[in-house]
Amino acid sequence: MKTYLTAIYCVIRCILYPGTRICVASATLKQALAVLKKITEDLCIQHGYGSTLLKNEIEKIQMNGSDPSILFKNGSIIYAVAANKNARSKRANILICDEFVQMNKDIIDDVLVPFLNTPRQPGYLNKVEYADLQEDSKQFYLTSAWYKSSWGYILVKDYIGNMAKGKKYFSVSLPYQLSIKENLLKRSTVEGVMDKSDFNPVSFAMEYECIWFGTNGEEFFSFDDINKRRNLYKALPPIEEVLNNKNIEVQPPKYNEKRILSVDVALMISTKRKKNDATSLIINDCIPTNGNRYVANIVYARNIEGWTTDRVAVEIMRYYYKYKCTDIVIDTNGSGIGVFDTLIKPQVDPDTGEIYDALSCINDKDMELRCAIPEAEKVIWSIKANSKFNDIIATSLREGFKQGQINLLVSEYDCDEYLRDNIKGYKGKSELQQLEYKHQYMETTLLVNELINLQHKIEGGSVKIKERPGMRKDRYSSLAYNFWVMKQYELKLSNDYREEQDEILFRFRKPSYEQSYI
């Protein structure tokens, strides 16, 4: 609805106000093009004689290349830009920020808003009697609802406050019911979204119902603490590229670095009637610091659902060997024990024919004895969670975010420029191949959503994390296991450092106090 109304506004403005310059900006050029495509692929085609009249007003349509635009015969223009530092030096009378909550506020303030420094100069201003009728430039902010802790919510509140005071501000919400009423959205489409097994009521409320989501005191993880840690641009390449592209080689971890693959196992597929967790795989590049600590860099995330035990195990081994991981951490309670028993035997990759060597347990002697191959590399951390352990990993993970010890991938809206500049041949790849590269960033967004929607309660002095009705916590569990293993290596790093210092001190000869110096 918002895109449709915005497109109509842009067309009317450009026709009735010659020389108008409208800039549509968004976090990605693809998103910014949505308004222009609504004009060219809807208003110019599907409205009979009205479309013919509109096309008669347009001089040129340029949708390809880095400067897409619609030029009108009277000198007006609508153009799209991606909101980044490279968008400087543009000029506009009207700025439209589409999905502005996904945009960097500093980019909007420092790069985009200065576009409006040159107002429209209609001919009547040259007449003395109209010289004081200079037009004001205009700003429009469009978005689906988001989190109340974001800067976008503050902007919305400011607009509503100023509108209530009678100032020239305007704010409106357009929920999905209005789109259905105006035949812009089918009721069956909305029902289809609600019927999906992975239906997320919070995301639906934000996207379709214009409801901003805020905390109610039961959330364990803070959106602010987590969102500020989304600063990683470089992700591991998609597993499909690693398997099929010989030119892609994953670099192994350096000395003292760890690459931990964590798995929260769930094998049952979700249905309309019952929502099950998925198997969540997360890869963490652990980089040691000078302070004998590690920093967690979550460089890969993926969820799989409805796979059999053997298939999940082979996929884990594929990830372990192809991404050159150093450790695997897996919940061996429940269905996880079946996956573990497959990991401790050699497996054949059904797609490549490659044989993966058996792996064994590193932290549990009983689990290690289940492996019948003595020489199997001990890399699997077996997790058998109880209330005390769950309390430890939950509080540890929260402190990790608060202390800046965890870095996450940037959002899928912010990775486009990086991928274009750093992935060879990215521009020439199909949309499906590009989506594979963006998938990790999208999964990270889902991870963030899952974390901030978790609730907690205290039972027996321990924190118990629980998901909201209809939601999941598989990504949280996988990340929490992963971070816990990293903390175990952190302790070892500190102990090794102390032992090294003790050894250095031991080499010094004890000073003699029998001889004095003047």
Side-chain angles (χ1 to χ4, degrees), residues 217-229 293 390-406 451-452 454-458 461-465 476 479-481 483-484 487:
E218 296 183 341
E219 290 76 17
F220 192 72
F221 295 96
S222 161
F223 174 76
D224 285 342
D225 290 340
I226 296 174
N227 195 54
K228 69 176 63 172
R229 303 312 306 166
R293 301 184 71 187
N390 289 334
D391 173 81
I392 291 172
I393 63 174
T395 53
S396 176
L397 186 62
R398 182 170 67 173
E399 285 305 304
F401 279 113
K402 287 182 177 295
Q403 296 176 13
Q405 201 177 359
I406 304 171
L451 286 171
I452 63 179
L454 292 172
Q455 297 176 322
H456 75 287
K457 60 180 179 179
I458 305 298
S462 298
V463 172
K464 182 178 180 180
I465 299 296
Y476 154 74
L479 179 62
Y481 299 156
F483 192 71
W484 178 81
K487 299 299 282 187

Side-chain angles (χ1 to χ4, degrees), residues 269-486:
I269 192 169
S270 295
T271 65
K272 292 182 180 180
R273 294 185 177 181
K274 184 176 181 181
K275 180 181 291 295
N276 294 302
D277 280 351
T279 295
S280 177
L281 298 95
I282 289 177
I283 297 179
N284 172 15
D285 269 351
C286 309
I287 310 299
T289 69
N290 293 331
N292 298 308
R293 301 184 71 187
Y294 278 102
V295 172
N297 297 290
I298 309 304
V299 292
Y300 196 95
R302 183 187 176 192
N303 266 25
I304 53 181
E305 187 173 334
W307 287 19
T308 62
T309 299
D310 291 347
R311 187 180 179 191
V312 170
V314 171
E315 191 74 359
I316 293 171
M317 297 183 90
R318 175 186 287 177
Y319 274 55
Y320 174 79
Y321 283 105
K322 294 302 181 182
Y323 286 125
K324 298 180 173 60
C325 296
T326 60
D327 299 82
I328 298 173
V329 51
I330 183 172
D331 178 10
T332 52
N333 282 329
S335 55
I337 188 65
V339 175
F340 177 88
D341 284 344
T342 305
L343 293 175
I344 60 178
K345 304 171 186 176
Q347 299 296 325
V348 178
D349 191 314
D351 296 327
T352 66
E354 185 175 352
I355 298 176
Y356 298 133
D357 292 334
L359 303 170
S360 187
C361 186
I362 190 175
N363 69 316
D364 187 321
K365 193 65 178 178
D366 291 336
M367 297 297 288
E368 179 187 341
L369 292 174
R370 293 177 72 90
C371 179
I373 303 176
E375 65 272 18
E377 191 176 10
K378 296 177 177 61
V379 298
I380 304 175
W381 295 75
S382 170
I383 302 296
K384 296 183 180 296
N386 53 36
S387 59
K388 182 178 179 181
F389 180 80
N390 289 334
D391 173 81
I392 291 172
I393 63 174
T395 53
S396 176
L397 186 62
R398 182 170 67 173
E399 285 305 304
F401 279 113
K402 287 182 177 295
Q403 296 176 13
Q405 201 177 359
I406 304 171
N407 296 316
L408 303 176
L409 293 171
V410 299
S411 78
E412 60 271 28
Y413 298 97
D414 297 328
C415 67
D416 272 329
E417 183 178 1
Y418 171 82
L419 293 175
R420 286 197 303 270
D421 294 342
N422 293 274
I423 302 301
K424 186 176 180 180
Y426 180 79
K427 294 180 181 179
K429 294 182 181 295
S430 67
E431 287 193 11
L432 181 59
Q433 290 174 319
Q434 291 182 0
L435 186 61
E436 289 174 353
Y437 274 93
K438 295 182 70 173
H439 189 78
Q440 294 93 297
Y441 303 88
M442 298 165 68
E443 281 285 345
T444 304
T445 295
L446 295 174
L447 168 63
V448 173
N449 289 344
E450 187 175 293
L451 286 171
I452 63 179
N453 282 310
L454 292 172
Q455 297 176 322
H456 75 287
K457 60 180 179 179
I458 305 298
E459 289 186 353
S462 298
V463 172
K464 182 178 180 180
I465 299 296
K466 59 179 182 177
E467 63 267 50
R468 294 175 183 273
M471 301 192 69
R472 294 170 162 171
K473 61 182 181 71
D474 41 73
R475 295 180 180 89
Y476 154 74
S477 298
S478 183
L479 179 62
Y481 299 156
N482 200 310
F483 192 71
W484 178 81
V485 170
M486 190 191 83

Side-chain angles (χ1 to χ4, degrees), residues 20-67:
T20 293
R21 299 182 65 85
I22 298 178
C23 171
V24 182
S26 192
T28 66
L29 186 60
K30 183 178 181 180
Q31 177 64 43
L33 278 171
V35 173
L36 277 69
K37 287 186 175 181
K38 179 61 68 173
I39 296 172
T40 60
E41 297 177 4
D42 185 347
L43 302 184
C44 281
I45 296 175
Q46 303 189 37
H47 299 275
Y49 191 57
S51 293
T52 300
L53 293 174
L54 175 56
K55 286 189 286 188
N56 287 338
E57 298 288 341
I58 295 174
E59 179 73 27
K60 181 180 179 182
I61 296 175
Q62 175 64 43
M63 299 298 287
N64 298 320
S66 58
D67 294 305

